[in-house]
Each structure stands twice: as structure tokens, then as C-alpha cells.
């Protein structure tokens, strides 16, 4: 027996095709593309080994009790493999640790050319160890006092660069045009020309004024993205100024911070708007990285109340099936398996998270977006499609609301536009084009 | 003029090939592979627009003051583009915000097939707004009282699954064999069979015993990876138990939490060992995502004291040139530009970060690793290559130290092995093979 053979055999101990996962096992589904230097079994054994108890060589320190804790590759076909993990490998309510295991070193192994974490079935015992959203879908009623969604929001554009006063003026125009919430863009935090504190106090004053004038409830998704304690300070400032929401870039801040903010949101009875900037560095290619579906699942688990998942029709990657799968995963209590796309999931006590459609939207595409989403349990984010209106942001907001009214009332945009000039002007500028 | 043309022209306003970046501009270098539907100029204009002030349509809200804040694509050739950003777009000491800008939405645009953030020149005014490592290279002297490195560390293996008592026994074997530090693996945090508190107190007791017996300074890189406040609690517990180091999975916890931990490390006079689990989900392919070089740069900027950058010879992806480039970037005060590989960087007041070689190492490959690194300002992490020793972990540790002594004394491993049976046994088991 050569030394190489001895090594390989150890990896094969992590393959068990007779194994049926227990109800409390985690099960991860991967797509893989192996390096030429290894066999399929060499690779899937390595995946199970390196993401659980293993290393690259035989060990003197391994005993039966430890070996029981191993992961098992129990099914594979067509470059897909399912790996099961005993629950006791994991620490509850610690998403960074989960990802260090199932999405850690294995992606950097020379033995894999491509590897994609598609989905993970989290056992109910694991799921119930997390908090999930504080409000989730209930934010529509609890915060905006509306019977049905969508929640509408708008980013003042240009996305950054406006002074605080310019920013607030756009907010007033948009709020008073009928939009529920003003959203910061992902790269607006606290810059010299628009300081966070200044924005918060001025936005609060403007919000109160518009609420008084319109009788409608208004809020804002103000971006707190920063170092963790600074984020906590910013969230508290928002709370002290009467906002019920805050926004955070969940990928660039990271899992540990999002968990921390979720705890704070519960304490302060606030909701989290999750922006996903940077996700496409690892979600874009279907053969490598981590799926957007998996990222969205982790965010529901941690407990953001709403998260961007794509528009289908906008400027960003978002195939229709992906959006529908994520919508279901975010909203349903029990999610069915679809081979190669997603695994079964029972969400236990965890509330649903609202999906957010965003990116390149304008009034002309809203009927299509609402049709694809097939639910009003959602948030709809329009930026350039409001401010690019020929008559400015206020009329852009009105055009957006008019388009949604048309959808709600089951009439076409053309019909609605006959009696609503703001919508008509929007359609004249953009028609029904889909920006790329 | 069609509406489509109007839209495209707006993106072209973000291209300025006559522009010379100011000393206080940030400059990012990207590799790109465009979608068929757009021209190169369409794409690079979009990159500059979407990562700064822009959006997908013309806007009524744009004025000259805002337009001055735009990013500019000022150079491109062979699928590479450089984009400059005015300093005032950024908030100092806020790495999540930086990444939300230069590594955010642009990766998800339909207009790009592939996009890679290779490097960024951070102006000195920006760099000096961050903390950088509290100890960095000085940890060799300050913590271990050694004149020269490498710092040696070892992960008890199997990587997870041992009880606390088993784990601590391995630690004693390894420390007493001459290794400086015991490192947790990335997926060991606080599991039922090895609780964090239990591990810390027992490891502290064992450390004191071995220090007394050997007269050598011993420490541990114990993994605090969790939600942020829980991590802070764990770091304080380590501090209270006399450890000078803690370890954290910097990608799975995220930039916001790492910044928080860096602040705490300064307060407690501790050093941070950074594990990079999950990095390869976005660093693996040279055509997409973010380079490991860029990630390591951000970690020096935030201030981890040591970070894994690969072994060249081990089981993980790590081409030699990449490792050498990262070594220089982590250790030097002024880093030279290498076209297509990295940009110029002046590190201002920021200390150097120690590179860590890890993954698939054993005594037989250490001379090659030390030769490639070309410096003793580093940390060397050996796991399976110690515990897989035919005579167990203690002798594995001795064999590792003997191999390093041979390198230091300029003799071959064969010569050293003549008088050192532990090294001889290691060479008999593994020889000089490079695991894959």
C-alpha cells in the first residue's frame, strides 16, 4: 500500500451512499467540477472531510467518538453532491461558524475547479436556535398600517453626492408623491457633504411634516453601514428620531454584524432593510461560489425583515426562476425541494422575510414585476425611474403610485395614463424598455 | 436622438482618458469581460457610474457640484480598466462602505460577464484614517520574545470533534514539542463537546504548566468566531486568562466585526490571527470576484496582525507569484506597481501584517516554503503534518522544529535527520510530497 493510497482511502471514509440523513442532520447541496487530478469520489470525500472533522492525512488522534461526527457524502449525480452534517458539529445562532464549515476551505482546494453551495436544509432544531425576523411580513401592517403591500421605497438619485438639504428635498418630493419610504443607496453612509447625524435629524423633521400634510405614514431606510458599534450608535439615533427602519449592507458588513443588528432591532422594535451589495462577487456564476438563494436563506435565518432579491426585468442579473424560488423560500413556512435548485426547508418558528424588487425599475415595467412576484407581500424600490421623470421626482413618485394603482385595479397602464399625466409622461420617456 | 442613445451618453460621461488621478484619489484596477450587448466604453462607463454617483438613466437632480464627485474610467487596455474615485466619496475607517462602492452592484450588472477587483491604491489620507495592526510584525518580539520568526503554530487535528480534554492534551504534546502556539481550526467555536469557556480555562492552565516546564513562551490562537458581542465577550475571557492572541474567521464574520475586534485588540493589547475561510468563494477564479491580494490588503488596513495567504506547496490554491506579491504588500511600507497584478501603495503610518503559511504542510516541505517566503517575518501553521507523525503529535512537533532548525542552520533535512529521529520518521512517512 503506497502512502498516496493510504491518504486517498481516508477521504473515501467520508462517502456513505447507504446513509439516510437523520431529521436533525444539516444537508448541503453542492454543484462541483473536479480537477483532472482527482476522481469524483476523491473529491466528494474531500468536501465532506474538510468541512467537518478531516484533514489531508491519516491521524493518530482520531477515535470512534470523533469519527461519528464526520460529514457524509451520501448522494451524487451529474456534478451535484449532497453532504450531511450531524447537528452537534454546529453552534446554534452562529451563522459565521456555519459558513466557516460548509463554505470554508473546501472552495480553495486544488482538487476543485468549481464549487457552488446551492442550498442547505437546516434542521428545525437548528433553525429554532436563531431569531429570524423581528417583524418580517408584519412590517406592512405594523409600520405602515396598510392592509396589503407592496411597501414602496425610493432612493434619492444621484445615488450619492447630494448635500443633506438636497437629499431631504428629494425625500419630501417623493414622500409627498405617495411613496412610503426613502431609501439610502448602498454607498451613502456618512460623508462630508451629507453627514449621518445631519441627515437623520433633517429627515425626521421632513418626515413629520409630510406625514402631517398627507395623513400617510412615512419612514426611511437610512443606511447605518459601518463598524459594528458605530452601526449600533446610528441605529439608536434613528430610533430616537422616530424611525422604525434602518438599512444595512449585509454582505459588506458581514454575518456577525447582521446578527448583532438583529438583536438590537428586536430590543428597539425596529425593522431591517437588507441591501446585498457585493453578493455578486460570489453569487454571479452558477458554477462557483454561493447561491443568492443560500445568502437570502441565511438572512431570513438571522432575521432581516426585507432583502433585495432582484427584479427579473431590471439592470441586474435576476432570472425569473431564481426570483420565484427566493420569493417562496423567504415567505413560506415549509419549502418544497426542487432537484438541482433547492432543498426542502421547514422554517419552524421563524417569520417570513419580505422580498425587495430593485434595480433599473420605472413605471412601465411595474405590471410585469408585480405579475412575476405574484404577491403583494413585497417591497418595491424605484430610484432612477422616479427621479428621471421629465417633470422631476415628485411627479415620478406619483407616476409610480399610479402604475401600482393600475395593477391593483386590473387596468392597463395606457388606460390609467389617459387620466393621469404623470404616468403618461413616464411612459413617453421610458415606454416599457428594460435597462441593461 | 433616441432615448437609448441619451442613456448611453450619460454612462460615457464617466470616461475621461485625459484624466490624471490626484494624489488623494482612490484608484481601483479591475479585470472585465463584457456582455455582448454592450461596448467596452459602455461597460467601463457603467462601472465608474454605478460605483460612484450614477444610475441607469439621466436625472433631473444632477448638478455640477455632484458631477465633480463622479468616478472616472481613465485608462483601459486588454480587458483591464482603472477607475479613480475622489476621496470625498468615502468615509474614513469604514471598510464595509468602501466595498459597497467599489465591489458592490457593479458585479451584478447584466452588462458584465466577469469582473474582478484586482487591487486599489488607497491614498495616504485614507490609509491613515484606519488603525492597521496593533502589533503586526512586532508580535514576534512582543509576545514570544524571539529575535526572529517564524512564529510556529499547530491546529489539533482532527480539526473538530475532540473533547476539550483531548484537545488540551494534544496542545500540551505540541507546545512541549517546541511549537509556539496552538491554533483552533476555522469551524471550532463552542460546540457541545468542546465549549469555548471550558477550552479557554483548561488551555490556560496547560499553557502555564508547559511554560514553566520549558521556559518558553506559549500562546494560542483560539477561535472567537460568532455574533459580534459574543466575540467581544470571548476575547475578554481570553484576555482574562492570560492569552495575548485571539483568532477570528474574518470573511464569515465580516468587515464590520473585524473592525470592532481590532479596536478591542488595541484596548486589551492583544494580537489578531485572521483565518480566511470562505474567501475562495470570491477569490478563486482570476476572472471574477475580488482578489485574495485585495482581501489581504483590506485586512492589513483594518489591522489584523497575521493572516493566511497560502503555502505555495500545500493542498490549497496558492500560486507562487500571488504569495510573494501578498507577502510584499503585507510587510512593506511602500509597494511598487506591477502591471495587471497590483497597484502602487503607500502604507503611511500603518504597520505590517505577518503572512501565515498554512494548509497541507509537513516537515518535508518546510525548506521549500521558507525559501519561497524568503523571510522569517511570518507565521507557519502545521496541522496534519504534525499529528500524522507515526509517533504522534509530540514527536510531530519536534520534527517540525527540527526541520526549521535545519533551514536556519543551512543544512539539508537528510543531514538533520541523521541525528534527529523525529524528523527522520516524518520524512519516512511523507517524504517531500505535496498534498493535493
Amino acid at each position: 500500500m503506497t502512502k498516496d493510497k493510504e491518504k486517498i482511502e481516508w477521504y473515501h471514509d467520508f462517502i456513505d451512499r447507504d446513509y439516510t440523513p437523520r431529521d436533525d442532520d444539516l444537508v448541503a447541496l453542492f454543484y462541483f467540477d473536479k480537477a483532472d487530478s482527482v476522481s469524483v469520489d476523491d473529491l466528494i470525500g474531500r468536501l465532506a472531510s474538510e468541512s467537518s472533522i478531516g484533514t489531508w492525512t491519516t491521524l493518530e488522534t482520531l477515535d470512534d467518538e470523533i469519527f461519528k461526527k464526520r460529514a457524509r457524502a451520501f448522494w451524487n449525480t451529474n456534478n451535484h453532491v449532497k453532504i450531511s452534517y450531524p447537528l452537534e458539529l454546529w453552534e446554534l445562532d452562529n451563522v459565521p461558524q456555519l459558513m466557516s464549515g460548509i463554505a470554508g476551505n473546501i472552495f480553495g482546494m486544488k482538487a476543485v475547479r468549481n464549487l457552488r453551495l446551492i442550498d442547505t436544509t437546516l434542521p428545525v432544531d437548528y433553525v429554532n436556535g436563531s431569531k429570524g425576523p423581528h417583524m418580517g411580513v408584519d412590517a406592512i401592517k405594523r409600520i405602515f398600517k396598510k392592509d396589503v403591500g407592496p411597501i414602496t421605497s425610493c432612493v434619492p438619485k444621484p445615488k450619492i453626492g447630494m448635500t443633506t438639504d438636497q437629499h431631504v428635498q428629494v425625500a419630501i418630493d417623493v414622500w409627498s408623491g405617495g411613496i412610503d419610504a426613502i431609501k439610502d443607496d448602498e454607498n451613502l453612509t456618512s460623508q462630508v457633504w451629507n453627514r449621518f447625524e445631519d441627515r437623520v435629524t433633517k429627515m425626521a423633521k421632513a418626515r413629520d411634516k409630510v406625514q402631517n400634510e398627507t395623513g400617510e405614514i412615512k419612514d426611511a431606510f437610512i443606511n447605518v453601514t459601518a463598524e459594528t458599534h458605530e452601526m449600533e450608535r446610528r441605529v439608536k439615533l434613528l430610533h430616537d428620531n422616530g424611525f422604525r427602519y434602518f438599512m444595512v449592507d449585509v454582505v459588506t458588513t458581514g454575518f456577525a454584524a447582521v446578527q448583532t443588528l438583529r438583536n438590537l432591532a428586536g430590543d428597539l422594535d425596529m425593522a431591517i432593510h437588507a441591501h446585498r451589495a457585493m453578493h455578486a462577487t460570489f453569487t454571479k456564476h452558477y458554477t462557483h461560489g454561493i447561491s443568492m438563494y443560500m445568502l437570502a436563506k441565511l438572512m431570513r435565518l438571522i432575521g432581516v425583515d426585507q432583502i433585495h432579491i432582484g427584479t427579473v426585468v431590471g439592470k441586474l442579473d435576476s432570472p425569473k426562476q431564481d426570483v420565484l424560488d427566493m420569493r417562496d423560500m423567504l415567505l413560506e413556512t415549509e419549502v418544497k425541494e426542487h432537484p438541482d435548485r433547492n432543498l426542502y426547508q421547514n422554517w419552524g418558528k421563524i417569520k417570513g422575510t419580505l422580498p425587495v424588487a430593485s434595480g433599473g425599475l420605472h413605471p412601465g415595467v411595474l405590471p410585469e414585476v408585480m405579475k412575476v412576484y405574484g404577491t403583494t407581500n413585497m417591497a418595491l424600490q424605484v430610484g432612477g425611474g422616479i427621479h428621471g421623470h421629465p417633470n422631476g421626482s415628485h411627479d415620478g413618485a406619483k407616476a409610480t403610485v399610479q402604475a401600482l394603482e393600475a395593477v391593483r385595479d386590473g387596468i392597463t397602464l395606457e388606460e390609467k395614463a389617459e387620466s393621469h399625466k404623470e404616468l403618461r409622461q413616464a411612459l413617453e420617456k421610458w415606454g416599457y424598455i428594460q435597462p441593461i
Side-chain angles (χ1 to χ4, degrees), chain A:
Chain A
M1 190 169 73
T2 70
K3 292 189 180 69
D4 263 18
K5 187 150 193 305
E6 186 183 346
K7 190 168 47 117
I8 298 294
E9 284 191 327
W10 159 246
Y11 284 124
H12 287 198
D13 287 348
F14 291 81
I15 302 173
D16 183 356
R17 293 195 173 85
D18 295 329
Y19 183 72
T20 304
R22 296 160 44 112
D23 282 348
D24 62 355
D25 281 349
L26 276 80
V27 174
L29 171 65
F30 294 94
Y31 165 88
F32 66 87
D33 179 14
K34 71 177 184 62
D36 294 336
S37 54
V38 295
S39 72
V40 167
D41 277 11
D42 291 348
L43 174 59
I44 66 178
R46 272 175 171 75
L47 293 178
S49 168
E50 184 68 29
S51 60
S52 64
I53 63 169
T55 185
W56 59 271
T57 180
T58 52
L59 293 171
E60 308 299 314
T61 39
L62 188 75
D63 66 25
D64 288 347
E65 275 306 304
I66 298 169
F67 195 59
K68 276 187 202 161
K69 302 188 182 89
R70 75 188 179 284
R72 293 170 172 89
F74 66 92
W75 173 92
N76 71 289
T77 186
N78 294 332
N79 294 73
H80 287 75
V81 59
K82 290 183 185 174
I83 298 178
S84 69
Y85 301 85
L87 182 59
E88 63 178 327
L89 285 182
W90 310 105
E91 187 183 353
L92 297 184
D93 207 21
N94 189 341
V95 169
Q97 189 243 1
L98 176 65
M99 296 309 277
S100 293
I102 63 173
N105 292 355
I106 52 177
F107 284 87
M109 294 194 305
K110 288 175 180 168
V112 301
R113 185 175 291 142
N114 287 292
L115 183 65
R116 175 82 161 177
L117 174 57
I118 298 173
D119 192 13
T120 307
T121 295
L122 305 166
V124 174
D125 288 349
Y126 186 90
V127 163
N128 283 343
S130 287
K131 293 206 168 62
H134 173 61
M135 294 191 200
V137 175
D138 301 340
I140 297 170
K141 276 204 178 64
R142 286 200 54 204
I143 295 182
F144 294 105
K145 314 292 183 200
K146 301 206 293 190
D147 289 331
V148 294
I151 294 170
T152 54
S153 68
C154 173
V155 178
K157 299 261 180 177
K159 58 199 292 179
I160 54 170
M162 281 188 284
T163 63
T164 308
D165 289 339
Q166 287 175 314
H167 182 98
V168 173
Q169 185 54 53
V170 176
I172 292 169
D173 290 347
V174 169
W175 270 329
S176 64
I179 296 292
D180 297 321
I182 305 303
K183 181 184 151 310
D184 285 356
D185 225 337
E186 70 283 353
N187 53 351
L188 176 64
T189 53
S190 186
Q191 284 103 321
V192 287
W193 29 267
N194 188 347
R195 286 284 178 214
F196 184 83
E197 288 72 15
D198 200 28
R199 183 160 78 255
V200 171
T201 49
K202 288 180 174 169
M203 284 286 284
K205 205 172 150 188
R207 175 203 61 208
D208 291 345
K209 185 165 176 291
V210 175
Q211 287 192 151
N212 282 337
E213 286 170 3
T214 62
E216 296 166 0
I217 292 169
K218 305 295 179 184
D219 214 302
F221 311 152
I222 295 181
N223 186 5
V224 301
T225 296
E227 176 274 332
T228 323
H229 290 303
E230 179 61 20
M231 285 199 283
E232 292 178 298
R233 195 185 67 77
R234 292 179 185 183
V235 170
K236 284 171 192 157
L237 189 70
L238 286 169
H239 179 259
D240 292 346
N241 278 274
F243 291 103
R244 302 294 302 279
Y245 268 98
F246 61 89
M247 168 176 143
V248 61
D249 297 338
V250 293
V251 180
T252 61
T253 55
F255 295 118
V258 178
Q259 283 198 239
T260 308
L261 293 175
R262 162 60 185 90
N263 295 340
L264 185 59
D267 294 344
L268 300 177
D269 195 24
M270 293 176 80
I272 302 175
H273 181 92
H275 196 286
R276 57 179 176 156
M278 202 176 110
H279 77 94
T281 62
F282 56 82
T283 65
K284 189 177 182 90
H285 291 303
Y286 283 62
T287 51
H288 189 72
I290 302 170
S291 70
M292 182 61 219
Y293 185 99
M294 182 71 201
L295 177 64
K297 175 178 262 192
L298 294 170
M299 287 301 150
R300 178 177 175 183
L301 181 76
I302 292 174
V304 305
D305 298 277
Q306 47 204 48
I307 184 169
H308 292 244
I309 62 165
T311 54
V312 180
V313 299
K315 64 187 171 179
L316 301 174
D317 301 320
S318 60
K320 183 170 173 176
Q321 191 61 59
D322 285 10
V323 172
L324 296 180
D325 286 347
M326 284 192 275
R327 172 201 65 187
D328 292 345
M329 181 276 292
L330 289 175
L331 290 171
E332 291 178 359
T333 306
E334 208 170 347
V335 184
K336 272 193 295 203
E337 174 167 3
H338 296 98
D340 298 356
R341 275 163 41 205
N342 69 276
L343 299 173
Y344 170 81
Q345 184 62 52
N346 180 336
W347 277 105
K349 71 175 176 68
I350 301 288
K351 286 183 187 164
T353 291
L354 285 171
V356 180
S358 171
L361 295 182
H362 59 81
V365 296
L366 292 184
E368 178 65 17
V369 170
M370 295 306 295
K371 193 173 137 198
V372 167
Y373 268 80
T375 176
T376 57
N377 275 339
M378 66 177 299
L380 198 63
Q381 159 57 38
V382 187
I386 283 180
H387 310 299
H389 190 281
N391 210 27
S393 304
H394 180 76
D395 283 6
K398 289 177 82 168
T400 300
V401 173
Q402 289 159 6
L404 289 173
E405 286 169 353
V407 172
R408 185 198 61 199
D409 298 341
I411 60 172
T412 64
L413 295 188
E414 288 74 23
E415 287 174 275
K416 186 79 178 180
E418 283 169 21
S419 54
H420 294 80
K421 75 171 181 343
E422 295 85 3
L423 179 57
R424 195 166 61 242
Q425 290 170 319
L427 295 176
E428 281 165 6
K429 173 162 184 178
W430 291 299
Y432 305 87
I433 59 161
Q434 303 190 2
I436 57 162

